[in-house]
Amino acid sequence: SSVTWAFGSTIYTESSKLYGARRVNFMRAMLALPFFILVSLFFSGVAGWSRMSGLALFWLFASMFASYGVGDGFFFLSARKLGVPGALALSSLYPLWNTLVGSVVLHQKLVVSQLVGIGITLTFVTLVILTQPQKGSGSAKVTRSNLISGIALGLLTSLFWSVNSIAVAQAGQLIDPWVLNSARMVVAMMITGVLTWVIDRRVNPMIELKTLGRGITLVYVFEAFVGSAAFTYGLSHVPLAIGSILSSLAPVLSVPIAWVRRSEPVSVLRLFCIAGVLAGLWLLMGGASG
């Protein structure tokens, strides 16, 4: 999910400038839904859908409202004010809130080395983001007004993304992951469609595929299908803190991709920061295996 979000978030940020965040998320859900339904019927059949419960639906609505409905929109707005690097740095703090919830509410115990690993990983992920070269990075010219509102929106994003991951982890314990994702996309279309109709004064939430373009449409399908599948499965099968950290590594993974594509010069400083991320992950996962 980190890999798919690494390139998907930049595309979505650009699309949101043209169409609005809610319409972008409506299209993400609409394009991924047929694939999830087909796969869910193949692997789970009708019996998989019969296990849907009221509690699972509650978590599904909480997840989609916090991400596709509100949280992602805050992220796109923050990215437009601060640039993608600044918005990612703030929104990527959501594993911190999840660690607190996992420890205090869900009683998922972490050893000291894992807590240190989480702190190190979050610190160096933030440094990787903030040391991104300004040229061609998608960073905005930040005014004082944009800075204040962008920071507020970025922090709000981290809180809503935290709610999303907690809700996904809980729903994943109740129903099949393919059914879970199919239902998530249906709920996402309902929420974003209604919000677009009401807030944007009856604007059609759909974007014509020929307007998006074939390449952009493929990105939408791939990220929404593969990324969502990986995100929900991962969060339902590992402790919340670990799953959150691993799903927040998109900014780090994008760096070696940029180096390979030669769209960014190799930086010793950023290489050091990536090594710091790996060290934090080693402590985190080492504690888990121990």
Side-chain angles (χ1 to χ4, degrees):
S1 65
S2 289
V3 172
T4 58
W5 188 250
F7 64 86
S9 59
T10 301
I11 298 296
Y12 296 149
T13 299
E14 292 301 315
S15 293
S16 72
K17 295 177 183 178
L18 299 173
Y19 312 113
R22 287 175 290 275
R23 295 182 73 196
V24 168
N25 282 336
F26 181 90
M27 293 301 296
R28 289 169 66 195
M30 188 188 79
L31 292 170
L33 178 60
F35 295 95
F36 278 126
I37 290 178
L38 287 174
V39 175
S40 70
L41 291 175
F42 180 80
F43 284 107
S44 307
V46 179
W49 286 87
S50 66
R51 290 191 288 271
M52 182 68 67
S53 64
L55 182 58
L57 283 174
F58 167 79
W59 288 119
L60 284 170
F61 272 93
S63 166
M64 289 291 90
F65 181 79
S67 56
Y68 278 49
V70 179
D72 289 0
F74 284 152
F75 170 74
F76 298 144
L77 288 173
S78 178
R80 284 156 60 179
K81 292 176 179 296
L82 298 178
V84 174
L88 276 174
L90 291 166
S91 59
S92 294
L93 292 175
Y94 75 89
L96 181 60
W97 320 133
N98 287 355
T99 300
L100 294 174
V101 172
S103 300
V104 177
V105 180
L106 302 178
H107 306 293
Q108 297 175 344
K109 294 182 179 180
L110 298 173
V111 298
V112 174
S113 63
Q114 288 179 298
L115 293 173
V116 173
I118 289 172
I120 292 175
T121 303
L122 280 176
T123 299
F124 280 100
V125 165
T126 304
L127 289 174
V128 167
I129 297 167
L130 295 180
T131 55
Q132 181 170 333
Q134 295 299 306
K135 184 178 180 180
S137 67
S139 296
K141 292 182 179 180
V142 181
T143 64
R144 181 181 178 84
S145 174
N146 280 348
L147 179 64
I148 295 173
S149 58
I151 289 174
L153 288 165
L155 290 175
L156 278 173
T157 301
S158 72
L159 292 174
F160 278 102
W161 281 2
S162 175
V163 172
N164 172 44
S165 51
I166 292 169
V168 166
Q170 295 302 304
Q173 305 298 320
L174 302 172
I175 53 177
D176 176 87
W178 295 112
V179 174
L180 167 62
N181 276 295
S182 301
R184 285 179 80 231
M185 295 304 125
V186 172
V187 173
M189 290 179 65
M190 292 170 57
I191 292 175
T192 55
V194 169
L195 288 177
T196 300
W197 185 260
V198 173
I199 297 176
D200 299 331
R201 298 179 182 180
R202 300 186 178 182
V203 170
N204 186 348
M206 290 186 61
I207 305 170
E208 292 187 10
L209 295 185
K210 64 179 181 181
T211 303
L212 277 180
R214 182 179 300 177
I216 301 300
T217 299
L218 289 176
V219 171
Y220 275 51
V221 172
F222 183 76
E223 191 284 324
F225 178 65
V226 178
S228 294
F231 181 71
T232 54
Y233 186 88
L235 282 175
S236 6
H237 287 77
V238 296
L240 186 59
I242 295 177
S244 301
I245 284 288
L246 294 176
S247 65
S248 68
L249 296 180
V252 179
L253 295 171
S254 65
V255 176
I257 293 174
W259 290 347
V260 171
R261 296 178 58 193
R262 297 184 179 180
S263 60
E264 175 187 321
V266 177
S267 164
V268 175
L269 175 59
R270 301 196 87 196
L271 187 61
F272 171 77
C273 293
I274 291 174
V277 171
L278 295 175
L281 290 174
W282 180 79
L283 285 172
L284 179 62
M285 303 308 293
S289 63

